[in-house]
Structures are given as C-alpha cells and as structure tokens.
Amino acid sequence: MSYCKSHLDRIKKASRVGTVVLLVLGGLFAALGLFLVAAIVGGRQGDGGTVAAAAVMAAVILLIPGVLMLVIGIRKLQTKRRDSDPERSRLVRSIRRQLPAEQADLPLDNLFAIVDQGLSGGQEFGRDVVIGREWVLAGDLAVPIRRIRGVFLQISAHRTQYTYVSSHIITVFDDTRECGTAGFLANGDRATQCYKALCTAAPWAMRGGLKEQGELMAISPEQLSQWNRELERQQAQADQSVSSPS
C-alpha cells in the first residue's frame, strides 16, 4: 500500500466534497434570497419603507451570503482544475523540499516509494497521521522524523443545549516551520495517543499547546537556524556512534 498516494487521494476527495457543499449551499441561499426579495417587492404590502427594509434584510441574510459562497466555490473549483497536477499539491512539494538534491527531482512514483519505505510498519492515527520509522505524515505535510521541530495539541470544547463536543487538533512543524495539522473530533483518547507517540518519536521537538506553539513561531530565523545546526550536529554524532564498531 502506498501511504502517500492514498493520503493524497483522501486530501483531494475531502477538498472536492468541501467545494461541492459550498456550491450547493451557496446556490440554495442565493435562490431563496432572490425568491424572498422578489416576493416582498412584488407583493408590495405595507408602505414603501417597510417593503424596502424587508427586501434589504432578505438580501443581507440570504442573498449576499449565498452569492459570496457561490463565488468562493467557483474560484476554488477553478483553482482545483488548475492545480489538479499532483506536483502542485502541498504534500508532494513538502516531500521534495525535505529530500536531498539528488532525490528531490525523482519521478513521483519513486518519490512516494522513498517516503513509503520510511513509513512502513508505522502507526496510523485516524485518517490523517502516520508515524513511521523515519517519516511522519500529518495532514498534507510529510516530514522526516529527524526534521520535526514542534508537536502541539490544541483542545477546544463546545457545549450546546443537548450535547458536549470536543475537538483535538495536532500540529506538526518541520525545521522551516512549515506545518501539517490533523483533527480528532470527539476522539480525545486517540488524539492523546497520537500526541504522545509523536513526542516519543521526536523527543527534541518543542511540545505543548497553543502557548508553546506561539513560542516556536516567535523564535527568530537566526535562533531557528542555530537550533537546527545544533540538532543536526547531535544527530550526526548519534548516527556515527551507532555505526562505529564497539
């Protein structure tokens, strides 16, 4: 099984579903708004000011949001058609960015094979996170474990009249502060397991919640570069000690 290909297909499918929902809702809102405006103006009940106010209210509540959703949906559809080439996807671009120069320009199948090998036998958490031996997939980001610099868990809760819904979002940052996110709706235990597994895989990475994530983003480029160099030096020493005969 190709983790990368199935992951990319899932991202595209979710994006298509979101666009379709946006277009359908926009069409319904716009049609209903037009119908109400036409009915109010055509009926001409009450004085002119009341009719105009009712028509404006119907337009503000339904027509204008509907038209905006249609415009956004159409633009997203046009963007998807233009960017249908997998090479334009953020996942593929993240893989090419992480690989050394001699591998970065490989054909897509070879590119996926490298990452799939590093993910083989890995742990899967939900649909959006795979933690392998050498690589991690998180949302639309693929990153070698040794280049992970931040792992964060945000928990939000919403209480309605009838139920209590919690959502957990895991964000993984690489050494350039590019990030991938994965959501766990009403599945806090699984999110916590995923967070702990990521922290275990990359013990040097910054971790915590929204506050600590902000601290990572506040690090200056110079400090980040220095931290990256120090971690790379430590990792090179560790690799050398493992490969050296005892």
Side-chain angles (χ1 to χ4, degrees):
M1 176 187 68
S2 172
Y3 289 101
C4 294
K5 189 175 186 305
S6 61
H7 213 69
L8 183 60
D9 291 342
R10 194 157 54 240
I11 292 171
K12 286 183 176 180
K13 183 178 180 180
S15 181
R16 284 196 299 267
V17 170
T19 302
V20 169
V21 170
L22 196 63
L23 288 170
V24 170
L25 288 178
L28 288 174
F29 272 51
L32 186 57
L34 282 172
F35 174 78
L36 288 177
V37 170
I40 292 169
V41 175
R44 295 188 179 279
Q45 298 176 353
D47 57 50
T50 303
V51 171
V56 169
M57 184 174 295
V60 170
I61 295 175
L62 293 172
L63 181 58
I64 294 177
V67 171
L68 286 175
M69 282 192 284
L70 280 174
V71 170
I72 294 172
I74 291 170
R75 287 184 176 178
K76 286 173 69 68
L77 192 62
Q78 292 173 338
T79 301
K80 285 177 178 57
R81 287 177 177 174
R82 185 179 67 247
D83 298 344
S84 58
D85 181 4
E87 289 289 351
R88 292 178 175 268
S89 71
R90 188 168 182 264
L91 176 62
V92 174
R93 286 187 283 113
S94 74
I95 295 173
R96 292 199 184 280
R97 186 178 65 251
Q98 307 286 357
L99 290 173
E102 62 271 15
Q103 295 178 319
D105 293 328
L106 289 172
L108 198 59
D109 289 343
N110 301 75
L111 202 71
F112 283 171
I114 293 173
V115 180
D116 287 336
Q117 184 177 2
L119 291 169
S120 61
Q123 297 175 276
E124 295 187 50
F125 295 89
R127 298 169 60 87
D128 293 325
V129 179
V130 182
I131 305 175
R133 295 172 302 173
E134 299 176 359
W135 283 73
V136 163
L137 275 180
D140 55 0
L141 175 76
V143 55
I145 290 176
R146 63 194 302 134
R147 295 184 66 174
I148 292 176
R149 296 295 180 264
V151 178
F152 304 100
L153 175 61
Q154 295 175 241
I155 304 174
S156 60
H158 308 280
R159 184 183 295 277
T160 66
Q161 185 177 356
Y162 303 103
T163 186
Y164 177 86
V165 179
S166 64
S167 62
H168 297 68
I169 298 176
I170 287 179
T171 307
V172 178
F173 285 83
D174 69 6
D175 56 358
T176 65
R177 285 187 289 204
E178 288 287 329
C179 69
T181 60
F184 295 80
L185 182 63
N187 196 349
D189 291 342
R190 196 61 172 159
T192 301
Q193 292 171 7
C194 179
Y195 172 72
K196 290 181 177 178
L198 285 166
C199 291
T200 300
W204 56 82
M206 293 181 66
R207 64 190 66 183
L210 189 60
K211 175 178 176 292
E212 289 77 13
Q213 182 173 323
E215 292 174 355
L216 173 61
M217 297 306 295
I219 293 176
S220 69
E222 293 76 14
Q223 290 174 316
L224 180 63
S225 179
Q226 182 179 357
W227 184 30
N228 285 335
R229 287 195 300 270
E230 177 61 22
L231 282 176
E232 289 166 3
R233 185 187 65 79
Q234 294 175 5
Q235 289 167 348
Q237 288 179 343
D239 292 342
Q240 186 176 8
S241 64
V242 170
S243 61
S244 298
S246 55

